Each structure stands twice: as structure tokens, then as C-alpha cells.
């Protein structure tokens, strides 16, 4: 099937182009004018932007967190992603049974996603303990297309400094990028115990139990451990505060290879949400912050100090939260849904407000994750031969976020009632239309596993540049 997209404005990380785009056999075959060929299906994108489909490099579908399993699996999660303009997700695998190896989790996740995902997908490994066998296995995981791994500094399988150093050193050696969930577990445990002992169990105390210093301290520690590991490349997930960003900027000024992700919830929601009637629905870690932190993150987004926008989609329904927490924040599973809202929210609050250009939008939502996670230029670009993963956005349209119109399995949206300027008209995955005007028209199981390339620093985004690559 050949498809020709006409009359639109193509946008990639480097600029905007008044060109048509020809799709053949799922890839971008040509760009320019006068591309009409016999048997071509024409898509008229007049007045719209035609961009690389979104890459959400941080989801947790079907994750078992011990006390609960998230309510979205790889079908409902990727269906929602597709309807929100995302054409690739990279899922952070959950913890397996104590002592299990890396390939155990990979095999399990292939079972979860195979035949279910509606868009292409990859996996980040998770390091839940460190020993010689695990360090040895890392090389064959990279060969199997898993070229990034997450370490946790909090939660049940948190790693201590020795294990972090060993993991960072080995992951660099085998060509993998180390991602980290940075929070100081000891400080959190101490504060949480004191709050609970004083009878403070309401949702807001979740935020008080893990203030931004817990996160910033762990970011600083990870930066220094990565330097000690021979400048191991480091990716900070879900940044929620300005102090952590300052530490990152300092490290970069010293030439360290570090990158950082934030999420829509940290740009748009603040800790006041914990005082709402449904405050439980906003429990996640790191928690929502004071409003002043949101402004600092927006500065980072605009200035180019923040590299990627992901969702950390980890959905537990209101019903699950209520049943498990029984009035105590510390018993509530953590995480927010949002995989369908990432592009509409950033387009509205970033592009339509003039905070970022359409090209910077592409960099944050698609090109930079592709560059960091071994998918460039097949994903995240509009180059010839790239997968025809595309999103068509109409800046003249509007969208009201209401959970009843979303496609995940949660029973609420943290963004309920928000107006987004800009309307997603179409999402294409390898040339096939998978969502049209917010409705899913794709197919269960159409998504393919992406064996990602090893980490390549030469392809990584140029940090701190609000302009395009090479501008610094
Ligand atoms: N934080 C969450 O809130 N949920 C999933 C995992 C995480 O780090
Ligand atoms: Zn995390
Ligand atoms: Zn996460
Ligand atoms: Zn729903």
C-alpha cells in the first residue's frame, strides 16, 4: 500500500518543511513535491504538522509491584499510546522473583507484549541485584536488543553504592545506557516512619515523606558514581525538581555524559492535587512538587537542559488505590496513567504557548529518545527509509481531556477537564493508520519488538542546546 501525505508541514528535530511525504511498504520512501503515483491513497494534511510519531521511553505496562498489578497491559496501554500519537514505547520491566536473572524477565516480557502490542515496543532491563552472573549476562541482553537498564535507589530491590558502581562500570563496557530512579531510600524510610507514627496518613504526607532533597541527593550521588565508573553514560528518569536539574547542569559543564527525562505530571500538576477529594489518585514517586518547581522544569524544557518527555505510565485504578490504601498513603500503589496525554499536553502547553518550537517538541517526544535508546534514525526521524511512524497534529483544533474518551484501563485521568489546544488527527505506525481523531483503528498484535542498537554517544542529543544539534 502506498500513501501520500500532501499539503502538510513536515517537522523534524531540525526544522519545518513544506513537503509531501510518500510512504511505501511501511517506510518513508520520498519527500518533495509531485510525488503522486498510480494507486496512491492520499491523506490531506492541509494546515497540519506531520511529525515523527512519539516515542514514550518510560512506561510500566502489566507491571506487578507486589501489592498489585497495574491495570493496563500491553494491549490497552499501547492502544492508548497510539490514540495519543505515540508509535513506540520502551517499557521498564518490573522486578522478577528474588534472585532471578535478566533473561528471565526478558522472556516474561516478550510473553506479555507479543501478540498484544498495537505499536512497536522495546524493553529496558532492570537490575534487581548484582553478582558475577548478572554482570556477565548484561552483554547478551544488549545483543538481544536491550541496550539500557534501570537501577532503583529506593523500593524493595534498591541497590547500594557497591552494586551501583559495578553495574555502571559493566553497562558502559557492554554498550548500554544506565537509567536510574534516584531517591534516597533511607531518608524516605525515616520520614515516612515518623509521619505514620504521628498518625499522618493522608495523601499529602506521601509528598512530605519524600521531599525534593531526597531526589536531588540521589541524583548528585549517581552523577558522581557514574564519573567514578569512568564516565558511564547516565540517564535520569522522571526528574521532578529544579535542584536535581542544577546538579545535572553542573555535571554537564564538566563534560559528563548525562541526560534527563521529565514527565507531563511534573510540568503540569503540583502538590495541591493531594488535597483534592481524589488525592489518592495522584500518588506517585517522586511525588508532585510545589508549584515553584514546575516553573524551573519548564525553564529546563525551553532551554534544552531537559532531553526527553516520557510518561512513566503506571496505572492503578481509583478502585485499586482505595481498596489497598485503606486510608494510608504508604499502602497505596504508586504511579499515574497518562500515556495517551503526553503529546496533546506538551503540544498545547509547550508549542501553542510559544514556550517551545515544533522542532523542539519533536526532539523531546521522539528524536531524542530515539537517539538515546538505539532507535535512530529508524524511529524519531523523517529520513528516507525510516519507519513511517507519524502523527498529524492540527493546531487549529482543540481537545478536552475526559477519561471516558481515553483508551487505557484506568478509571480516571489525572488531567481530567484540561483543555488542550491542538488536535491529533492521525497516528500512523509503519505506514498504517492506527488512530484517527482519537479513535483506535489499529490491530492487536501489530506491534513488533524493537531490538535496539547499543548506546552510541555520538548519536546522543547535545545537552543544553535549545537550538538544534551542533548549535552549542
Ligand atoms: N514510580 C511510580 O510512581 N510508579 C512506578 C515506578 C516509579 O518509580
Ligand atoms: Zn521510577
Ligand atoms: Zn517508572
Ligand atoms: Zn476509559
Amino acid at each position: 500500500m502506498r500513501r501520500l501525505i500532501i499539503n502538510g508541514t513536515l517537522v523534524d528535530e531540525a526544522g519545518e518543511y513544506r513537503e509531501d511525504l510518500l510512504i511505501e511498504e511501511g517506510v518513508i520512501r520520498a519527500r518533495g513535491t509531485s510525488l503522486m503515483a498510480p494507486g496512491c491513497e492520499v491523506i490531506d494534511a492541509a494546515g497540519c504538522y506531520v511529525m515523527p510519531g512519539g516515542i514514550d521511553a518510560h512506561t510500566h505496562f502489566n507491571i506487578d509491584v507486589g501489592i498489585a498489578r497495574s491495570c493496563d497491559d500491553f494491549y490497552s496501554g499501547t492502544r492508548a499510546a497510539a490514540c495519543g500519537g505515540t508509535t513506540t514505547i520502551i517499557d521498564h520491566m518490573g522486578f522478577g522473583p528474588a534472585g532471578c536473572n535478566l533473561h528471565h524477565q526478558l522472556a516474561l516480557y516478550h510473553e506479555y507484549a507479543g501478540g498484544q502490542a498495537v505499536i512497536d515496543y522495546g524493553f529496558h532491563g532492570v537490575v534487581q541485584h548484582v553478582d558475577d552472573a548478572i554482570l556477565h549476562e548484561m552483554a547478551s541482553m544488549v545483543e538481544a536488543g536491550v541496550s539500557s537498564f534501570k537501577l532503583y535507589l529506593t523500593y524493595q530491590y534498591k541497590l547500594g553504592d557497591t552494586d551501583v558502581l559495578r553495574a555502571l562500570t559493566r553497562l558502559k563496557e557492554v554498550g548500554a545506557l544506565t537509567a536510574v530512579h534516584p531517591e534516597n531510600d533511607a531518608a524516605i524510610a525515616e520520614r515516612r516512619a515518623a509521619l505514620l507514627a504521628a498518625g499522618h496518613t493522608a495523601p499529602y504526607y506521601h509528598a512530605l515523606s519524600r521531599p525534593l532533597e531526597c531526589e536531588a541527593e540521589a541524583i548528585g550521588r549517581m552523577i558522581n558514581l557514574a564519573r567514578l565508573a569512568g564516565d558511564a553514560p547516565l540517564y535520569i528518569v522522571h526528574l521532578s525538581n529544579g535542584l536535581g536539574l542544577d546538579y545535572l547542569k553542573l555535571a554537564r559543564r564538566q563534560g559528563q555524559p548525562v541526560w534527563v527525562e521529565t514527565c507531563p505530571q511534573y510540568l503540569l500538576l503540583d502538590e495541591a492535587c493531594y488535597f483534592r477529594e481524589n488525592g489518592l489518585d495522584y500518588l506517585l514517586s517522586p511525588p508532585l512538587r510545589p508549584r515553584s518547581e514546575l516553573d524551573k522544569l519548564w525553564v529546563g524544557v525551553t532551554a534544552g537542559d531537559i532531553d526527553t518527555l516520557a510518561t512513566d505510565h503506571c496505572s492503578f485504578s481509583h478502585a485499586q488505590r482505595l481498596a489497598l490504601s485503606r486510608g494510608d498513603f504508604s499502602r497505596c500503589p504508586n504511579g499515574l496513567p497518562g500515556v495517551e496525554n503526553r503529546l496533546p499536553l506538551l503540544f498545547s502547553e509547550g508549542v501553542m504557548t510559544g514556550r517551545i518550537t515544533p522542532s523542539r517538541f519533536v526532539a523531546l517526544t521522539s528524536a531524542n529518545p530515539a537517539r538515546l535508546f538505539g532507535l535512530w534514525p529508524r524511529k524519531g526521524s523523517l529520513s528516507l527509509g525510516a519507519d513511517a511512524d507519524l502523527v498529524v497534529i492540527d493546531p487549529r483544533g482543540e481537545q478536552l481531556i475526559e477519561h471516558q474518551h481515553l483508551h487505557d484501563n484506568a478509571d480516571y485521568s489525572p488531567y481530567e477537564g484540561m483543555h488542550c489546544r491542538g488536535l491529533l488527527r492521525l497516528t500512523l505506525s509503519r505506514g498504517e493508520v492506527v488512530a484517527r481523531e482519537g479513535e483506535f483503528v489499529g490491530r492487536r498484535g501489530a506491534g513488533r519488538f524493537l531490538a535496539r542498537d547499543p548506546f552510541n554517544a555520538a548519536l546522543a542529543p547535545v545537552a543544553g542546546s535549545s537550538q538544534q544539534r551542533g548549535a552549542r
Side-chain angles (χ1 to χ4, degrees):
M1 166 63 96
R2 279 174 168 172
R3 291 198 167 86
L4 182 62
I5 305 183
I6 60 167
N7 297 330
T9 300
L10 306 189
V11 185
D12 66 12
E13 60 172 4
E16 300 177 21
Y17 321 88
R18 289 304 300 265
E19 290 175 351
D20 299 339
L21 184 151
L22 179 69
I23 301 167
E24 227 175 55
E25 287 162 13
V27 301
I28 298 173
R29 189 64 74 199
R31 286 170 48 174
T33 50
S34 312
L35 300 175
M36 186 65 82
C40 236
E41 182 189 295
V42 173
I43 295 172
D44 188 349
C48 298
Y49 293 116
V50 180
M51 299 168 156
I55 299 175
D56 192 337
H58 192 159
T59 64
H60 298 276
F61 295 148
N62 209 29
I63 192 172
D64 179 356
V65 294
I67 50 171
R69 186 176 287 277
S70 70
C71 58
D72 280 302
D73 57 20
F74 277 82
Y75 176 60
S76 65
T78 56
R79 177 184 61 188
C83 292
T86 287
T87 49
T88 295
I89 59 106
I90 312 175
D91 200 80
H92 281 283
M93 293 191 268
F95 298 120
C100 81
N101 65 25
L102 300 175
H103 284 277
H104 171 275
Q105 282 307 86
L106 180 56
L108 188 66
Y109 270 71
H110 274 304
E111 272 176 41
Y112 289 167
Q116 297 298 322
V118 310
I119 53 169
D120 292 350
Y121 58 94
F123 304 123
H124 302 282
V126 59
V127 182
Q128 63 182 52
H129 71 284
V130 175
D131 58 23
D132 288 346
I134 293 284
L135 295 170
H136 183 76
E137 248 192 300
M138 285 170 172
S140 56
M141 287 288 282
V142 173
E143 278 165 25
V146 178
S147 53
S148 48
F149 289 77
K150 171 113 134 283
L151 318 181
Y152 287 84
L153 301 187
T154 186
Y155 298 136
Q156 187 188 353
Y157 291 109
K158 58 192 169 280
L159 299 183
D161 293 350
T162 309
D163 288 347
V164 168
L165 270 171
R166 294 181 78 198
L168 280 165
T169 305
R170 177 65 176 160
L171 287 170
K172 180 187 178 210
E173 212 170 81
V174 301
L177 178 60
T178 299
V180 65
H181 173 126
E183 283 188 295
N184 182 315
D185 188 70
I188 293 167
E190 185 71 5
R191 294 178 68 88
R192 183 173 49 221
L195 288 167
L196 293 178
H200 297 316
T201 55
Y204 176 62
Y205 294 105
H206 171 74
L208 280 192
S209 74
R210 43 210 320 145
L212 67 86
E213 291 78 9
C214 294
E215 182 186 358
E217 183 281 330
I219 290 172
R221 182 170 13 124
M222 276 307 295
I223 286 170
N224 286 303
L225 293 175
R227 174 130 265 185
L228 291 172
D231 273 348
L234 181 65
Y235 180 84
I236 305 291
V237 302
H238 52 45
L239 179 77
S240 74
N241 76 88
L243 181 58
L245 185 58
D246 286 342
Y247 290 160
L248 282 156
K249 286 161 65 177
L250 185 59
R252 281 174 174 163
R253 282 210 293 278
Q254 295 172 2
Q256 233 185 295
V258 290
W259 293 271
V260 62
E261 159 196 294
T262 191
C263 310
Q265 56 269 31
Y266 299 120
L267 291 171
L268 298 169
L269 303 175
D270 67 29
E271 62 183 5
C273 293
Y274 295 123
F275 294 104
R276 295 183 185 178
E277 196 183 341
N278 61 340
L280 270 185
D281 292 350
Y282 296 88
L283 291 196
L284 85 166
S285 295
L288 301 178
R289 301 298 189 193
R291 183 128 297 255
S292 52
E293 299 306 314
L294 281 57
D295 300 335
K296 294 172 193 166
L297 294 179
W298 273 114
V299 170
V301 164
T302 301
D305 294 319
I306 290 177
D307 302 288
T308 64
L309 186 79
T311 60
D312 197 9
H313 182 102
C314 185
S315 50
F316 299 99
S317 66
H318 182 72
Q320 275 177 303
R321 290 164 185 272
L322 211 55
L324 286 162
S325 65
R326 287 173 285 131
D328 177 347
F329 75 82
S330 70
R331 289 198 287 245
C332 185
N334 283 199
L336 295 192
V339 73
E340 192 167 347
N341 309 117
R342 182 178 64 123
L343 266 61
L345 288 169
L346 186 67
F347 191 84
S348 180
E349 298 307 309
V351 177
M352 296 303 290
T353 57
R355 281 168 163 145
I356 58 172
T357 63
S359 285
R360 176 96 184 109
F361 173 88
V362 170
L364 286 158
T365 58
S366 184
N368 286 352
R371 290 176 171 282
L372 284 163
F373 294 110
L375 295 170
W376 181 267
R378 177 179 168 196
K379 304 289 191 189
S381 89
L382 297 179
S383 55
L384 302 190
D387 286 350
D389 285 4
L390 301 165
V391 59
V392 178
I393 305 184
D394 187 343
R396 299 159 300 185
E398 282 199 356
Q399 185 198 340
L400 173 65
I401 298 180
E402 291 179 298
H403 188 263
Q404 56 170 327
H405 299 304
L406 299 179
H407 299 79
D408 59 51
N409 278 343
D411 54 4
Y412 76 100
S413 166
Y415 308 106
E416 187 78 20
M418 283 193 183
H419 269 280
C420 294
R421 286 195 285 157
L423 181 66
L424 268 53
R425 295 221 173 267
L426 286 178
T427 309
L428 287 86
S429 167
R430 278 183 279 99
E432 298 300 321
V433 177
V434 292
R436 180 178 281 121
E437 312 273 336
E439 281 316 309
F440 178 60
V441 296
R443 187 170 54 81
R444 188 193 288 260
R448 294 183 192 156
F449 172 68
L450 297 166
R452 297 180 290 116
D453 295 334
F455 174 74
N456 181 348
L459 294 181
V462 178
S465 165
S466 64
Q467 302 308 310
Q468 298 318 312
R469 294 174 54 71
R472 192 168 64 164

